[in-house]
Amino acid sequence: MQFDFSQILSTTMVLFAIIDILGSIPIIIELRKKAGHIQSEKAAIVATALMIIFLFAGKTLLGVIGVDVESFAIAGSFVIFALAMEMVLGLTLFKEESPDTVSIVPLAFPLIAGAGTMTTLLSLKTEYATQNIIVGIILNMLFVYFVLKNTNRLEKLFGKTGLNILRKAFGIILLAIAIKLFRTNTGL
């Protein structure tokens, strides 16, 4: 088992763009206001577990329902494309609700570890070594935990304009990732 710094950096950056925790700060702030409190540790641990489980068992789960990885990746590219368009155009597809389990649903899943993240993990697995992807997941989840713990401070630091700029910048990165996923898995 050999760790490759360039693979770790690549997977970390791709997952960082997909998870887009900085772009999700406005949603997190709203959830925190509605629910009163978000359990940052619980959200980060559950999201990490979901991602690692899907990294190892995702292909098998897809096989059980008769879907190949390429088809899932293409479908995921559409999901990522929709998320990116939401970010770039300022649309809201995610409906904020405040159930008692707000730290798990909708925060850990689907906001942090959603369909786009799961698709990306399967795609990354075809290109990179599993241990490097796991390190990328863990680095991202440490950052997610930091952001969840410091949402109010970050809101003040970036301001509304700064958060909007971050969201749009990561939206463009996600658009490029969606197009790459589509091209790679369709052979275009």
Side-chain angles (χ1 to χ4, degrees):
M1 179 160 78
Q2 184 145 355
F3 292 99
D4 181 333
F5 179 75
S6 66
Q7 285 190 13
I8 291 170
L9 183 62
S10 293
T11 58
T12 301
M13 294 309 295
V14 168
L15 288 172
F16 183 77
I18 293 289
I19 294 169
D20 184 37
I21 194 66
L22 295 176
S24 299
I25 289 174
I27 296 168
I28 295 166
I29 290 167
E30 193 62 31
L31 287 173
R32 185 168 274 163
K33 284 178 187 172
K34 289 180 180 179
H37 175 70
I38 290 177
Q39 297 171 324
S40 306
E41 299 85 3
K42 191 179 206 178
I45 290 169
V46 168
T48 304
L50 285 172
M51 286 190 266
I52 291 174
I53 289 168
F54 199 80
L55 179 66
F56 287 103
K59 193 171 183 178
T60 304
L61 291 171
L62 291 176
V64 168
I65 59 173
V67 176
D68 59 89
V69 175
E70 291 79 16
S71 297
F72 189 75
I74 292 168
S77 73
F78 290 123
V79 172
I80 294 168
F81 185 83
L83 289 171
M85 293 306 290
E86 176 184 87
M87 293 165 64
V88 172
L89 299 176
L91 303 171
T92 303
L93 301 174
F94 176 76
K95 293 178 177 46
E96 297 96 2
E97 296 176 9
S98 61
D100 294 333
T101 58
V102 74
S103 297
I104 306 298
V105 178
L107 189 55
F109 178 82
L111 195 60
I112 297 169
T117 306
M118 301 309 188
T119 303
T120 303
L121 287 172
L122 288 181
S123 298
L124 288 172
K125 194 170 181 179
T126 64
E127 297 180 42
Y128 301 114
T130 303
Q131 68 271 12
N132 297 323
I133 299 170
I134 291 172
V135 172
I137 290 170
I138 291 169
L139 290 173
N140 271 282
M141 290 300 95
L142 289 171
F143 187 73
V144 164
Y145 174 74
F146 172 79
V147 168
L148 292 176
K149 276 299 208 193
N150 296 289
T151 307
N152 293 332
R153 289 185 193 130
L154 292 170
E155 180 184 22
K156 291 174 188 168
L157 175 69
F158 290 121
K160 188 170 182 154
T161 304
L163 290 174
N164 284 334
I165 291 169
L166 279 175
R167 188 172 179 90
K168 292 193 185 311
F170 282 108
I172 292 169
I173 292 169
L174 281 182
L175 279 172
I177 291 168
I179 291 167
K180 180 183 180 211
L181 266 175
F182 183 81
R183 288 182 61 209
T184 301
N185 289 286
T186 58
L188 296 176

